[in-house]
Amino acid sequence: MKSEDNLTSVDRISKNCPFMQDCSEEKILLFEKNGYPIYECTKCDLRFSKLKEIENHLSNVYSDDYFFAGGAGYPNYLEEKKELYNSGARYAKIISKFTTPGKVLDVGCAAGFYLKGFEDAGWKCLGIEPNETIASYGRKELKLDIVTGDLENFQTDEKFDLINLIEVIGSFHDLNKAMLKVENLSKKEGLVLVESWDHRSKIARFFGKSWHEYCPPSVINWFTDITLTELFDSYGFDVIATGRPSKKIKGKHALEIVAKNSPEFIFKKQVFNFLRFTVGKITLAYPPLDLKWYIFKKR
Ligand SMILES: [Zn+2]
C-alpha cells in the first residue's frame, strides 16, 4: 500500500479555495480519483474537488442507484433502517445534554431514519433530501415532513434550534452558499450537529488515494478538526463538544466499500461473493477512527 506522501505530486495551481476565496495562493494537486482532481489548500488544509457540471449533479449523484445499487452509496439503504434509527436516537440523546427539544432541520435526511430517532425524543422535524424516491418513502412510511431539494437552494422563513449535517458537509457543491444557509437558518444559540470524516486521520493517511471517502463526485470536500472548526468559526459558531460515533453497519455494506477500494486480484469476485454469503449477513461495529461528530453553537 502506498502512503499518501508518495502520491503527492506538487503541482501548484491558482484555484480559489472553496473555504475562502483568498484563503491561500497555493493549492496543491494531490491526485486524481474517479477522473476528478483533488486539491489541498496549503493554508486551511481543506481538500476539495470541483464538479464538472453543477446542473443535474444532485439527480445524477443521488439517483436511486446511490441508495439501492451499492458503490459509493448503499447496497440497499432500507435494509439498514434499524441501525440508522438507532444512530439517530443516540445523537438525540447526546444533543439532550446541551439543549431541550425544539425544531430540527436534517440536511440530506434520506428517508429520515435518523430524523425519526429525533422525533421519538420529542423534536419537531423537517428534512431536506435531493432524491425524490427516498424522500417520498420517508413522507409516506415514516410520516415525516421532508422537502425534496438541496440546502443551497432551500427557501424558508423558519429558524431552527438544531441543524443536522450528518455525513453531508463533504457533499456541498457550494460550500459557502451552504454555510450561509446554515448561519441564516440557525436561531441565536442554535446548535449544528456535524458528522464528518477526517482526512488527517491515521486510516485516511494509510489508505491515501484509496481511502473510501475520496469518492468524487458524491463527496467533494474533505476536512480536518481544524478546518471544520475554523469554517464554523468564520460563520459565527463555536465548537462545544466532539466525539466518535459508535456506528453499526451491515456486513454487506462494509464489503461493498472494501471491494470497491481494493485492487484487483485473482478470484476477487469469487472471494467477495463468498464473503457476502458469510460476513455479509451480520451487523458490524464500524471502527470510526476516521469519523467524528461535532456540536457547534451559534454565538
Ligand atoms: Zn483554504
Side-chain angles (χ1 to χ4, degrees), residues 33-34 36 57 60-77 80 167-168 170-171 197 210-220 222 247 249 252-261 276 286:
K33 184 88 179 264
N34 306 341
Y36 287 82
H57 163 67
N60 287 339
V61 172
Y62 303 103
S63 65
D64 291 355
D65 280 358
Y66 180 84
F67 291 100
F68 303 108
Y74 297 85
N76 188 348
Y77 169 80
E80 294 190 28
E167 289 189 40
V168 73
S171 302
W197 302 88
S210 305
W211 186 40
H212 65 88
E213 267 307 285
Y214 290 130
C215 52
S218 64
V219 178
I220 49 166
W222 299 271
K247 250 191 164 21
I249 62 171
K252 197 165 129 192
H253 186 183
L255 278 173
E256 293 288 342
I257 294 170
V258 177
K260 196 166 176 281
N261 290 292
R276 262 177 215 114
Y286 181 88

Side-chain angles (χ1 to χ4, degrees), residues 72-83:
Y74 297 85
N76 188 348
Y77 169 80
L78 296 178
E79 277 180 16
E80 294 190 28
K81 58 186 172 189
K82 197 168 148 248
E83 289 77 18

Side-chain angles (χ1 to χ4, degrees), residues 78-137:
L78 296 178
E79 277 180 16
E80 294 190 28
K81 58 186 172 189
K82 197 168 148 248
E83 289 77 18
L84 294 164
Y85 172 83
N86 288 341
S87 295
R90 251 193 316 268
Y91 273 134
K93 207 170 169 187
I94 292 171
I95 290 290
S96 72
K97 293 177 194 160
F98 303 96
T99 191
T100 48
K103 180 119 191 202
V104 55
L105 174 70
D106 192 301
V107 180
C109 69
F113 294 116
Y114 269 88
L115 208 46
K116 202 69 189 168
F118 278 84
E119 191 182 66
D120 289 350
W123 287 82
K124 284 197 185 72
C125 300
L126 177 64
I128 313 175
E129 167 53 43
N131 179 280
E132 171 57 20
T133 308
I134 206 84
S136 68
Y137 176 94

Side-chain angles (χ1 to χ4, degrees), residues 17-20 23-24 27 41-46:
C17 174
F19 180 1
M20 288 197 192
C23 188
S24 170
K27 314 287 181 295
C41 172
T42 52
K43 192 178 169 201
C44 74
D45 219 15
L46 180 77

Side-chain angles (χ1 to χ4, degrees), residues 24-282:
S24 170
E25 289 299 306
E26 279 189 346
K27 314 287 181 295
I28 296 173
L29 174 65
L30 295 175
F31 49 78
E32 287 208 355
K33 184 88 179 264
N34 306 341
Y36 287 82
I38 295 181
Y39 302 101
E40 182 176 271
C41 172
T42 52
K43 192 178 169 201
C44 74
D45 219 15
L46 180 77
R47 292 186 173 185
F48 59 97
S49 189
K50 293 270 177 201
L51 290 171
K52 288 169 186 157
E53 54 154 310
I54 304 285
E55 259 171 67
N56 303 326
H57 163 67
L58 288 171
S59 48
N60 287 339
V61 172
Y62 303 103
S63 65
D64 291 355
D65 280 358
Y66 180 84
F67 291 100
F68 303 108
Y74 297 85
N76 188 348
Y77 169 80
L78 296 178
E79 277 180 16
E80 294 190 28
K81 58 186 172 189
K82 197 168 148 248
E83 289 77 18
L84 294 164
Y85 172 83
N86 288 341
S87 295
R90 251 193 316 268
Y91 273 134
K93 207 170 169 187
I94 292 171
I95 290 290
S96 72
K97 293 177 194 160
F98 303 96
T99 191
T100 48
K103 180 119 191 202
V104 55
L105 174 70
D106 192 301
V107 180
C109 69
F113 294 116
Y114 269 88
L115 208 46
K116 202 69 189 168
F118 278 84
E119 191 182 66
D120 289 350
W123 287 82
K124 284 197 185 72
C125 300
L126 177 64
I128 313 175
E129 167 53 43
N131 179 280
E132 171 57 20
T133 308
I134 206 84
S136 68
Y137 176 94
R139 284 191 288 265
K140 213 187 282 169
E141 301 297 323
L142 303 178
K143 311 273 178 268
L144 287 165
D145 192 2
I146 299 173
V147 177
T148 305
D150 62 347
L151 179 66
E152 286 92 326
N153 297 302
F154 178 61
Q155 300 291 345
T156 180
D157 295 327
E158 214 174 346
K159 302 256 183 194
F160 297 86
D161 301 283
L162 171 67
I163 297 176
N164 287 347
L165 305 176
I166 296 166
E167 289 189 40
V168 73
I169 195 160
S171 302
F172 289 140
H173 55 84
D174 188 333
L175 188 57
N176 284 303
K177 202 172 166 189
M179 286 303 297
L180 268 175
K181 284 277 177 182
V182 170
E183 185 188 1
N184 291 330
L185 292 169
S186 286
K187 281 186 186 167
K188 194 169 178 277
E189 304 202 322
L191 303 183
V192 182
L193 169 66
V194 181
E195 193 183 276
S196 174
W197 302 88
D198 180 3
H199 78 68
R200 286 278 171 225
S201 64
K202 282 199 176 112
I203 291 187
R205 294 166 78 100
F206 175 77
F207 282 101
K209 188 181 170 179
S210 305
W211 186 40
H212 65 88
E213 267 307 285
Y214 290 130
C215 52
S218 64
V219 178
I220 49 166
N221 309 300
W222 299 271
F223 301 86
T224 66
D225 277 1
I226 295 170
T227 47
L228 205 58
T229 307
E230 285 180 353
L231 179 69
F232 275 83
D233 179 58
S234 69
Y235 287 90
F237 291 85
D238 295 316
V239 63
I240 58 165
T242 68
R244 297 211 184 265
S246 53
K247 250 191 164 21
K248 290 208 170 65
I249 62 171
K250 291 276 185 220
K252 197 165 129 192
H253 186 183
L255 278 173
E256 293 288 342
I257 294 170
V258 177
K260 196 166 176 281
N261 290 292
S262 62
E264 287 302 319
F265 56 86
I266 192 163
F267 299 128
K268 177 175 175 178
K269 209 174 151 202
Q270 288 83 344
V271 168
F272 276 99
N273 278 338
F274 171 75
L275 290 173
R276 262 177 215 114
F277 277 104
T278 51
V279 195
K281 291 186 177 153
I282 60 170

